[in-house]
Amino acid sequence: MIDVFLPIRSFFKFGSVCTDNNVFRMHYKATVIMLLVFMLLVTSKQFFGEPIHCMTQDKADDNKEAINNYCWIYGTYTLKSRFLGVEGRDMAYIGVGPEKGMQNEQLKHTYYQWVCFVLLGQAMMFYTPRYLWKIWEGGRLKALASDLASPMMTKDWSEFRRGELVGYLTYTHVYTHNMYALRYAFCEILNLANVVGQIFLLDVFLGGAFRDYGAGVAAFTHVPKVPSNFIDYDSVNPMDAFFPKVTKCFIRMYGPSGTIQVKDRLCVLPLNIVNEKIFVILWFWLIFLAAMSIAAVIFRILVLSMPPLRIYLIMGQVRCVKHRVVSKIVKRFSFGDWFLLYMLGKNMNPIVYKDLIIELSKDLESRSLMV
């Protein structure tokens, strides 16, 4: 079984330099890994066998494989009128029974052909903002903070290296990192737009069943069981309604006399045992991820518009540094320069970072005196 997940093992690796935050990593690591695992599960026949098995009463029927392929390609259906009642008495299985002639009674199921492709497409879309940020970031943080993250004071933190880094931040590239920060903020907004869009995309894909799917499953599992002679629609498990394990499929064939015969088949969909769990997990995860992404975007807007907040964020990274020292840096730095300095704090030894903050403050003070 481990061999199935070997293609995605590279996603479990973490880079030596952190160029984003935890919410960002939830999108391109946790979500992408989850979607790829789900895709591998629904395409692995070694665990669930063939995705569809259609039954026949004809012992001499040698077209079983053709019937399976036909029903897989053209889809199966359940009956809305057979969701209510006692299984085994009012219907053979939930959603399976004789038609009552109601309008729009049939609920078509063709989504299962596309589940693996949809999951793969979602994984690619969730990785797109990360791909854009990697291109725009260009390895800048890695070049600036290389070999400075060691818990021990490194030899590379010499007077020359310190002066070089201070000069880069205060003289060479001052006020030139605004686009750098704005691109990161754009990728965070793109993450939010993507996760919200994925919720609506899945709802369209499942024919409007996804929007309330997780809430319906949660409500069904927590409502008390009702007597068998009083079954309300709320007592129907959404998993059985939207991901049926037994469905119907009719096939038109020519009989011995050349007339068209319609043969009704019961089809078992073993893969829906997995699909129903996959989509309920995705429902809760995407709702949670959307909430976290909204919080991340609001936080980014507050940081870019409120310099006092930037001061406290830097002070949260270093200890035993006075407020006026950090305030002096934040007042002189643009929000882009501050963002680069804040990201450096995530990738440097705290002692080295504290030394850098102090040196930056001294350099900015000396420059102001010269002016």
Side-chain angles (χ1 to χ4, degrees), residues 1-10 40:
M1 182 175 179
I2 296 297
D3 295 339
V4 178
F5 302 107
L6 288 180
I8 63 172
R9 63 185 183 275
S10 59
L40 291 174

Side-chain angles (χ1 to χ4, degrees), residues 216-227:
V217 172
F220 177 83
T221 55
H222 288 85
V223 296
K225 300 300 180 182
V226 295

Side-chain angles (χ1 to χ4, degrees), residues 16 18 81 141 147 197 205-206 222-223 243 295 304 318 323 329 349:
S16 57
C18 175
S81 62
L141 282 172
D147 303 324
F205 173 62
L206 295 177
H222 288 85
V223 296
F243 298 96
L304 294 180
V318 294
H323 182 275
I329 297 173
N349 182 310

